[in-house]
Amino acid sequence: GAFLCYEGVEKLAHAILDPPKEKEEAHRALVERVSDLNVDLVAVEQTRIRGAIRTDFILSAEIIVIALGTFAGATFSKQAITLSLIGVGFTIGVYGLVAGIVKLDDLGLHLQKRGGMGAPLGRGLLLAAPWLMKTLSVLGTAAMFLVGGGIVAHGWHRLEATIEQAAHWLGQQGLVGSALALITPTLLNGLIGLLLGGLVYGVSLLVKRVLQRKA
């Protein structure tokens, strides 16, 4: 959970704290690399793929931990069957969907090159893919805080009980309180994730500076 929160804060830090000039230079360098016919684009993508695999590996481990916690009292055979079904379901449903989104621009390019009735659809997919990726990036960052904070709160029973008590108290405050009670656990989990991620990110920066000074 802490790792997810850290990755979320790291993304925010790069988006907010990096000077605009550095962002422009990084974007220009990326465009030049992509435009250079001598550059292996597959090798360029490998760095992003490695980061995605690392994040998905952590997320998969968290899903397994949550599932084991839910079925902690079940027999070994039930736990094995449940984890197997969850593994297959997530591989097909979640990672299969992610694979489809990643290949969306390739599909658009393929349809455009074929021409005919599918060409307008291909152009539409090529235009929509960057905006879809940006939207998913924002939603994915928010999900890091919500999921990471939720896992930490779930593992810290006193904190989880406090969140439930706050939601229960709000639920008794009329119609508006009932509506707030529904979103309070999610908001508090996100706040916990943001604070924890900021703490871990700050510690990581401190460790890096100490190591750099020693080097």
Side-chain angles (χ1 to χ4, degrees):
F3 179 81
L4 268 187
C5 297
Y6 162 77
E7 281 211 326
V9 170
E10 189 181 34
K11 287 193 174 193
L12 286 180
H14 284 304
I16 298 173
L17 301 179
D18 286 355
K21 186 176 180 180
E22 289 187 6
K23 294 180 182 179
E24 292 177 3
E25 291 177 355
H27 178 69
R28 191 182 304 112
L30 179 61
V31 171
E32 289 176 357
R33 292 180 67 187
V34 172
S35 303
D36 189 353
L37 298 178
N38 296 321
V39 173
D40 186 2
L41 295 181
V42 176
V44 174
E45 280 195 335
Q46 288 302 317
T47 55
R48 294 180 178 272
I49 292 173
R50 280 195 295 269
I53 290 174
R54 183 186 67 234
T55 302
D56 288 344
F57 178 79
I58 297 295
L59 183 60
S60 300
E62 290 168 350
I63 293 168
I64 292 173
V65 170
I66 293 173
L68 283 174
T70 305
F71 296 93
T75 61
F76 176 78
S77 58
K78 287 184 178 180
Q79 288 181 347
I81 293 173
T82 301
L83 288 179
S84 299
L85 292 175
I86 290 175
V88 173
F90 265 87
T91 300
I92 297 174
V94 177
Y95 296 135
L97 177 61
V98 171
I101 294 173
V102 169
K103 289 294 184 181
L104 192 63
D105 53 348
D106 292 332
L107 175 61
L109 184 61
H110 174 72
L111 291 175
Q112 189 177 26
K113 286 182 176 180
R114 285 186 59 183
M117 299 289 291
L121 177 60
R123 285 193 293 271
L125 291 177
L126 287 173
L127 291 173
W131 294 101
L132 176 62
M133 292 298 182
K134 289 181 180 179
T135 302
L136 291 177
S137 178
V138 174
L139 295 177
T141 302
M144 287 180 178
F145 296 124
L146 297 177
V147 176
I151 291 172
V152 173
H154 180 71
W156 190 352
H157 300 300
R158 182 174 297 181
L159 182 58
E160 186 179 36
T162 302
I163 293 175
E164 291 177 354
Q165 290 173 2
H168 179 71
W169 181 82
L170 286 172
Q172 298 176 340
Q173 308 305 312
L175 183 61
V176 177
S178 299
L180 291 175
L182 294 175
I183 63 175
T184 293
T186 301
L187 293 177
L188 290 179
N189 286 337
L191 179 61
I192 293 169
L194 181 61
L195 294 175
L196 178 61
L199 177 62
V200 177
Y201 182 72
V203 172
S204 70
L205 289 181
L206 181 61
V207 171
K208 287 178 182 178
R209 288 184 180 179
V210 171
L211 293 177
Q212 286 175 354
R213 287 181 180 178
K214 286 186 177 180

